[in-house]
Amino acid sequence: MSYLIAIKCKAIIVVLLLFPLLIYSQENILSGKILNISNEKLENVVVVLEEFQGNVIAFGQSDTEGKYVIKYDTEQDSINVKFRKLGLETVARKIPVYLQELNITMELAPENSLREVFVRNRRPIEVKGDTISYRPKYFRDGTEQSVEDLLHKLPGVSVDALTGTIKYQGNEIKKILLDGDDLTGDNYKVLSKNLSADWLEGVEVLKKFSDKRLLRGIKQSEDIAINLKLNENAKAPIFGKAKLGAGIESKYELKAELLSYLKKIKLFSIAETNNIGTDLETYDLETYLDSKNGGKGFVNPTNILNNNVAPPDFFNQEDFTFHHGVFISNAVLFKPNEKLKIRSLTNFYDNNLNFFISDTLSYLFPNGRTLSINEFQKQIQRPEEFFQDLKMDYAIRKNQELNIRFQYKTASSNTKSTNKTTLISATQLDAIEQHKLLTVATYTYKLNDKWAGEFQFKLGNNDLDESLDITYSSGALDNLKQQFLWRSFNIGADVNIYGKLSQNTSIKFYSGWNKSILELKPLFLSRYELRNMYSEFKIRKELSKFTLNGSARLRGVNLVFENSSSNKMLFEPLFGASYEDYLFNSLEIKVKTVLSSENNFVKPNQLFNQSVFLDYRSAVSYQTDFSMQQKSDLFLTSLKISENENTNLTSSMELGLERLSNAFIPNLSFQDEIVSTKFVQSGNMESIFTNFLLDKYFAKFKTNLGLTYSTQLSKSFLSVNDQFGQSKLLTNQWKLDAGIVCSRKLNISVSASVISSSNKWVVEENSFNFHKYFLKFVYKLTPRFRFLSKTQILDFGQELGGVSSLSDFSMLYKSNNDKWSFDIRLNNIFNLKNASFSSNTSSFFSQTNYQVQPRFFLASATWRF
């Protein structure tokens, strides 16, 4: 099956790549020679032939002799010819079709010929309405490999190093656009992690973003998107990069990046394989439309088995992953006419990950006693996934639109672990196979400038097969073998009405129904059903500098399980208020407060009351009521001071309180080194959190300074060997980031974090502090020759593992025409064998040693075409 999936994925990509090249016929011929002002022959100049409507009819490139020959066909009497090359000024000519020879002389682009000129009226950040524009050249230090690397340096923008999630002023973005077009939908990480940063000429943050054409101006949106603007000199019908690297310890790296800009087609393709540790899973397969649990979403199977080891998030993940893998992705947007738009995203991922860890888990007992379990684990993971997202937008009329979306995922994962503790040695095999399908059709009708409506139909199914096989080396314990088989079916429909009562008042009303059916064998004999009917009314009112939001949702829920049924009528209110003004005529200030209440039911995999083994030493069971809802109450207030082109300042502060009723209370018991946990749905949990962010960019010095602070106190109940009490987990983190431009040749980036954690249960307490540092030097010997040094340091103190540090060094050389670059990398200079980490949870304290990638040398070459 895996083989067929791989063939299917590659076939789709090949077809989509070749499709743009088949739309041309070849009858007329245009040829010529291209030179620079020194009469030197210019190679790889892109030549584009266009009709006057802007339609690309043919393209080509000059060879090593500076010559080009292009065949084309047109019904017009004359055409436009454009000559493009990075670093040179674009040349455009209008010629008659009978002209067969055109020789061109190209000059350096102004930014290359006048390197010492500083254009002072071009600011690094500009704000125009709801659009914030960044000029990347002010924030680069020459080490940015991907868009993600660049975005991380922009004031107000943050990137989660572990998940790749991108936020602007604390709010997660919804999409990443490529020159205004959406190629990847919700899976924006395909672009952020794979598109090279050196293509970018500009980055725009779009507030109040809406991807629904007919709802703009009627539906109030709080979404945020990022638009990437590519360098005009780089755009061509076909352009991209290819990278090849090899080194000692049998290390290798291959990557191909292809883009195509045509009148009707825009394409981004990526293919990569390596064994240097870089995580190749750069997309989020779980961003299914309307797949969340709750009022409008479906109920889907959730894994019971979850025993995969993950690298720590303190350092870069590739420092701890011993693997080799393949990732292929193809995103294409096809616009055959003004009414129809088709978007396709295809991803294929096949990996082999290896982890080596040793850890100590210390469970807190009453009366000052602890239970410590020492473990060594070697784990091999083999995840393989194929994902297809296909969307069609069709404008039936000017005021009517039909959207059809199809998403399919098939995934398999095989995990083998060798586990050793003081008393037990075991071999564990996990196998998981999943198939997901979702189809959504949406019809949108715009009555006038004030009213619009949507009708949406959703259909999906989700099958999940899990198996666990544990073999103990001694006869003290019986071998285990368990299998769980999920079957699910979902169907639903929604009606949405949007209205704008006045310039300052808008409303939304929606009503819908969905049904979810799940079967889990052999744990349950009866199936789980949830029928959900809901209606909600929302109103938004703007009063001068104030904005008020209110909504009330009424849900009728019918649940059926184990021949029992339950009917619920639930009321879920939400109230929000915001105040927006300007301070000192330059700083935009916004204060926002939200109060909300939401109900959710336990997931089907939290309904079994018999013990299920999750791994070789852990058993879990649940004592829950399928009809008892969990209620989540949230209070959130935030203060934001937005950036301005004069101050380049961004700051935000957030304070929140969340309370969960009918939460799970873990009851822990121990037998030898087997830990049994029973979850009882009878407690409450509270969480208080605060986040603070400050970014200041000093344009005169091209220097950025960032400060973040976060704290969270979580209170929950815990039972250990029949001793019951409240657990308090408190974490605090201070972080300072600075990017300092010392001179035109030397840039320094520094980061320092202080993190504290304390866990108190009854009278027992574990607490520790640690420091994290990051230091990067970038030295540009010449504009073409660069040195890079990176060091990461983690200090837990001598009692908790001491100091761990990792250092890398690299050298980069670029050719004069930027066509070639050569990179030499030395990984883990001091050849550290292990790195130690400590962590706290509500039930235990752990110390873990992760084996680190050995020192290796890697040389690579990149060709830009």
Side-chain angles (χ1 to χ4, degrees):
M1 179 178 178
S2 300
Y3 178 73
L4 294 176
I5 292 172
I7 293 176
K8 181 192 296 185
C9 179
K10 294 175 182 178
I12 292 173
I13 292 176
V14 170
V15 171
L16 290 174
L17 289 176
L18 294 180
F19 181 76
L21 308 179
L22 302 179
I23 63 175
Y24 304 102
S25 53
Q26 303 172 345
E27 294 183 4
N28 299 324
I29 297 178
L30 179 66
S31 62
K33 181 179 290 188
I34 307 172
L35 307 174
N36 62 16
I37 56 176
S38 301
N39 289 325
E40 296 173 338
K41 304 166 186 176
L42 292 179
E43 181 185 1
N44 291 320
V45 175
V46 176
V47 185
V48 182
L49 279 60
E50 298 179 351
E51 295 179 328
F52 291 116
Q53 295 84 357
N55 184 31
V56 176
I57 57 175
F59 61 90
Q61 284 185 325
S62 59
D63 59 18
T64 55
E65 296 296 319
K67 297 179 181 180
Y68 70 93
V69 178
I70 303 175
K71 298 180 180 180
Y72 69 96
D73 180 45
T74 182
E75 296 180 357
Q76 297 183 356
D77 296 331
S78 58
I79 60 172
N80 290 325
V81 185
K82 294 181 180 179
F83 300 84
R84 296 173 178 165
K85 185 176 177 64
L86 189 66
L88 301 178
E89 190 170 6
T90 298
V91 177
R93 295 285 189 270
K94 176 183 177 181
I95 64 169
V97 293
Y98 58 78
L99 184 66
Q100 296 185 353
E101 184 176 355
L102 178 62
N103 299 320
I104 291 294
T105 300
M106 302 185 70
E107 300 180 0
L108 287 174
E111 60 268 25
N112 289 334
S113 58
L114 301 175
R115 292 186 180 274
E116 302 301 320
V117 175
F118 179 70
V119 184
R120 297 188 179 274
N121 63 345
R122 302 282 284 180
R123 296 190 176 102
I125 305 174
E126 289 187 354
V127 182
K128 293 182 181 179
D130 294 322
T131 301
I132 298 91
S133 300
Y134 297 88
R135 292 187 172 82
K137 66 178 182 180
Y138 291 96
F139 305 96
R140 298 179 188 272
D141 61 16
T143 64
E144 302 82 11
Q145 296 294 319
S146 65
V147 168
E148 182 179 274
D149 297 335
L150 178 62
L151 293 179
H152 182 70
K153 299 178 180 179
L154 303 182
V157 181
S158 62
V159 182
D160 190 296
L162 182 64
T163 64
T165 299
I166 301 172
K167 294 183 177 181
Y168 174 73
Q169 291 187 340
N171 298 318
E172 184 177 353
I173 69 168
K174 185 175 179 64
K175 296 179 183 291
I176 290 183
L177 310 178
L178 195 60
D179 281 318
D181 288 321
D182 179 14
L183 270 71
T184 58
D186 301 328
N187 295 287
Y188 61 77
K189 297 170 191 175
V190 172
L191 283 173
S192 62
K193 287 184 172 291
N194 292 291
L195 183 64
S196 296
D198 54 9
W199 299 118
L200 297 187
E201 185 178 74
V203 176
E204 294 177 334
V205 174
L206 310 176
K207 296 182 178 179
K208 299 181 180 180
F209 170 77
S210 175
D211 55 358
K212 294 292 185 72
R213 175 181 61 89
L214 297 179
L215 300 182
R216 292 170 188 164
I218 300 177
K219 178 185 177 182
Q220 298 295 326
S221 173
E222 297 295 329
D223 293 334
I224 299 173
I226 288 179
N227 181 37
L228 306 177
K229 302 177 68 176
L230 268 62
N231 191 312
E232 290 294 328
N233 290 330
K235 295 178 186 177
I238 295 292
F239 62 107
K241 297 173 69 173
K243 185 176 184 179
L244 172 63
I248 62 173
E249 301 288 340
S250 301
K251 298 296 182 180
Y252 65 87
E253 179 183 21
L254 294 92
K255 183 176 181 179
E257 177 183 343
L258 178 67
L259 294 97
S260 178
Y261 269 50
L262 297 169
K263 178 65 177 178
K264 297 182 179 181
I265 294 179
K266 186 176 290 186
L267 179 144
F268 173 66
S269 296
I270 184 78
E272 182 177 8
T273 179
N274 72 60
N275 67 349
I276 59 176
T278 304
D279 184 12
L280 297 176
E281 189 176 7
T282 58
Y283 54 96
D284 182 6
L285 292 179
E286 305 309 323
T287 53
Y288 277 76
L289 186 64
D290 286 338
S291 63
K292 295 182 179 179
N293 292 327
K296 293 182 62 178
F298 294 157
V299 178
N300 287 304
T302 304
N303 284 16
I304 293 177
L305 302 178
N306 185 18
N307 188 44
N308 290 346
V309 177
D313 57 354
F314 297 112
F315 285 166
N316 295 331
Q317 294 192 41
E318 55 262 32
D319 294 321
F320 303 92
T321 306
F322 298 77
H323 88 121
H324 58 86
V326 176
F327 174 61
I328 301 173
S329 176
N330 187 64
V332 62
L333 181 67
F334 178 46
K335 295 185 283 189
N337 53 54
E338 295 181 354
K339 290 188 174 183
L340 182 61
K341 182 167 62 176
I342 300 173
R343 186 193 72 206
S344 173
L345 174 64
T346 307
N347 291 323
F348 175 73
Y349 165 75
D350 184 14
N351 219 344
N352 188 325
L353 301 115
N354 297 273
F355 297 94
F356 305 89
I357 69 169
S358 59
D359 64 1
T360 300
L361 297 181
S362 298
Y363 291 88
L364 299 177
F365 275 27
N367 305 320
R369 295 181 297 115
T370 61
L371 170 66
S372 296
I373 301 176
N374 300 312
E375 172 193 20
F376 171 79
Q377 186 172 167
K378 175 183 178 182
Q379 187 174 101
I380 301 174
Q381 301 172 15
R382 285 300 309 270
E384 181 179 277
E385 297 172 337
F386 172 80
F387 178 65
Q388 175 64 55
D389 184 355
L390 186 64
K391 183 182 179 184
M392 182 196 75
D393 298 326
Y394 179 66
I396 303 172
R397 290 187 177 89
K398 187 177 181 180
N399 65 335
Q400 298 178 54
E401 190 170 77
L402 177 65
N403 308 101
I404 299 177
R405 190 171 185 181
F406 167 85
Q407 293 178 315
Y408 174 71
K409 167 191 172 182
T410 179
S412 63
S413 177
N414 294 282
T415 304
K416 180 179 180 180
S417 300
T418 302
N419 311 277
K420 296 180 180 179
T421 66
T422 305
L423 301 178
I424 301 174
S425 296
T427 300
Q428 178 172 328
L429 299 175
D430 299 342
I432 300 175
E433 186 170 347
Q434 185 175 26
H435 304 280
K436 297 178 71 172
L437 177 65
L438 179 67
T439 301
V440 179
T442 306
Y443 170 75
T444 307
Y445 179 80
K446 184 177 182 180
L447 182 63
N448 50 45
D449 291 338
K450 295 184 177 180
W451 293 94
E454 279 186 325
F455 174 78
Q456 187 176 82
F457 176 76
K458 304 175 291 183
L459 183 67
N461 75 288
N462 191 338
D463 296 339
L464 179 62
D465 191 355
E466 302 176 271
S467 65
L468 172 67
D469 192 351
I470 301 175
T471 304
Y472 294 103
S473 58
S474 64
L477 295 170
D478 295 333
N479 297 335
L480 292 171
K481 190 168 186 178
Q482 293 178 317
Q483 185 165 7
F484 316 103
L485 181 62
W486 290 92
R487 292 288 185 265
S488 72
F489 173 76
N490 296 279
I491 187 171
D494 295 318
V495 176
N496 300 270
I497 298 175
Y498 304 93
K500 193 170 185 180
L501 301 182
S502 67
Q503 186 65 28
N504 299 322
T505 307
S506 59
I507 65 170
K508 176 186 177 182
F509 171 79
Y510 75 80
S511 182
W513 165 87
N514 63 258
K515 178 180 179 180
S516 298
I517 302 174
L518 292 91
E519 296 179 349
L520 175 57
K521 299 178 180 179
L523 290 180
F524 302 138
L525 299 178
S526 300
R527 66 186 187 180
Y528 174 94
E529 290 189 21
L530 184 144
R531 299 182 184 92
N532 192 15
M533 296 186 66
Y534 43 86
S535 294
E536 181 173 352
F537 179 80
K538 294 184 177 181
I539 184 168
R540 175 187 174 95
K541 179 70 175 180
E542 297 180 6
L543 300 170
S544 183
K545 299 175 182 179
F546 288 90
T547 301
L548 303 178
N549 292 275
S551 71
R553 178 166 60 181
L554 191 65
R555 296 172 55 195
V557 178
N558 173 247
L559 296 111
V560 180
F561 177 65
E562 295 287 349
N563 300 318
S564 299
S565 63
S566 174
N567 294 289
K568 299 279 186 179
M569 187 63 69
L570 304 174
F571 177 69
E572 298 171 329
L574 180 146
F575 174 77
S578 63
Y579 172 81
E580 193 168 354
D581 200 356
Y582 283 87
L583 295 176
F584 314 113
N585 296 320
S586 60
L587 297 179
E588 182 183 6
I589 181 173
K590 187 172 183 179
V591 183
K592 185 177 181 180
T593 300
V594 175
L595 292 167
S596 69
S597 181
E598 185 177 4
N599 296 277
N600 286 291
F601 294 89
V602 297
K603 299 177 182 179
N605 67 330
Q606 296 170 331
L607 291 173
F608 55 86
N609 53 24
Q610 65 264 45
S611 180
V612 174
F613 275 82
L614 303 185
D615 56 53
Y616 80 103
R617 69 177 188 191
S618 299
V620 171
S621 60
Y622 288 86
Q623 185 176 321
T624 55
D625 184 350
F626 78 97
S627 63
M628 181 185 296
Q629 73 269 19
Q630 292 181 328
K631 185 179 180 182
S632 175
D633 297 310
L634 174 67
F635 167 76
L636 179 66
T637 183
S638 63
L639 168 67
K640 295 182 180 179
I641 300 178
S642 301
E643 60 279 282
N644 181 280
E645 60 261 41
N646 295 319
T647 63
N648 297 325
L649 176 69
T650 301
S651 66
S652 65
M653 184 175 65
E654 186 179 66
L655 173 65
L657 170 63
E658 186 174 15
R659 179 181 174 86
L660 181 65
S661 58
N662 295 327
F664 293 129
I665 297 177
N667 293 263
L668 279 67
S669 59
F670 307 92
Q671 180 181 359
D672 297 327
E673 291 188 339
I674 300 295
V675 182
S676 297
T677 305
K678 175 182 285 188
F679 289 98
V680 181
Q681 186 186 0
S682 60
N684 297 323
M685 185 171 64
E686 292 182 354
S687 179
I688 302 173
F689 55 89
T690 301
N691 298 301
F692 174 78
L693 166 68
L694 175 66
D695 268 314
K696 171 65 176 175
Y697 178 71
F698 301 90
K700 183 177 181 180
F701 305 102
K702 295 184 179 180
T703 297
N704 190 74
L705 183 65
L707 177 66
T708 59
Y709 169 74
S710 63
T711 180
Q712 181 168 359
L713 174 62
S714 299
K715 299 179 181 179
S716 59
F717 289 93
L718 173 68
S719 173
V720 180
N721 276 8
D722 298 326
Q723 295 292 321
F724 181 82
Q726 188 182 65
S727 172
K728 297 181 180 179
L729 184 61
L730 175 65
T731 58
N732 290 280
Q733 177 173 346
W734 286 92
K735 184 178 180 181
L736 177 66
D737 294 284
I740 305 170
V741 179
C742 299
S743 66
R744 292 191 176 187
K745 291 187 176 183
L746 179 62
N747 291 0
I748 300 176
S749 298
V750 294
S751 174
S753 300
V754 180
I755 304 170
S756 65
S757 174
S758 66
N759 176 23
K760 184 175 182 180
W761 179 71
V762 192
V763 295
E764 308 305 321
E765 183 174 4
N766 271 326
S767 62
F768 65 90
N769 299 289
F770 65 94
H771 301 80
K772 179 183 175 183
Y773 306 98
F774 175 78
L775 182 61
K776 180 173 75 172
F777 289 93
V778 181
Y779 181 69
K780 301 175 183 177
L781 183 62
T782 69
R784 303 292 176 186
F785 199 41
R786 184 213 70 200
F787 294 91
L788 169 64
S789 173
K790 294 190 297 184
T791 300
Q792 305 168 86
I793 302 174
L794 193 66
D795 183 7
F796 276 95
Q798 292 301 320
E799 294 183 357
L800 298 177
V803 179
S804 301
S805 64
L806 294 172
S807 296
D808 297 332
F809 175 79
S810 68
M811 293 186 297
L812 176 70
Y813 174 76
K814 292 184 177 181
S815 61
N816 290 331
N817 58 4
D818 284 332
K819 179 180 176 181
W820 287 93
S821 64
F822 303 92
D823 190 13
I824 297 175
R825 171 186 172 187
L826 182 59
N827 181 80
N828 190 6
I829 296 175
F830 304 109
N831 204 21
L832 184 69
K833 301 298 182 182
N834 295 282
S836 299
F837 303 90
S838 299
S839 62
N840 255 331
T841 72
S842 59
S843 56
F844 63 83
F845 172 80
S846 68
Q847 290 182 255
T848 308
N849 291 316
Y850 289 86
Q851 190 169 338
V852 180
Q853 281 265 18
R855 179 170 54 205
F856 65 82
F857 170 86
L858 183 76
S860 60
T862 303
W863 173 50
R864 181 169 177 167
F865 56 90

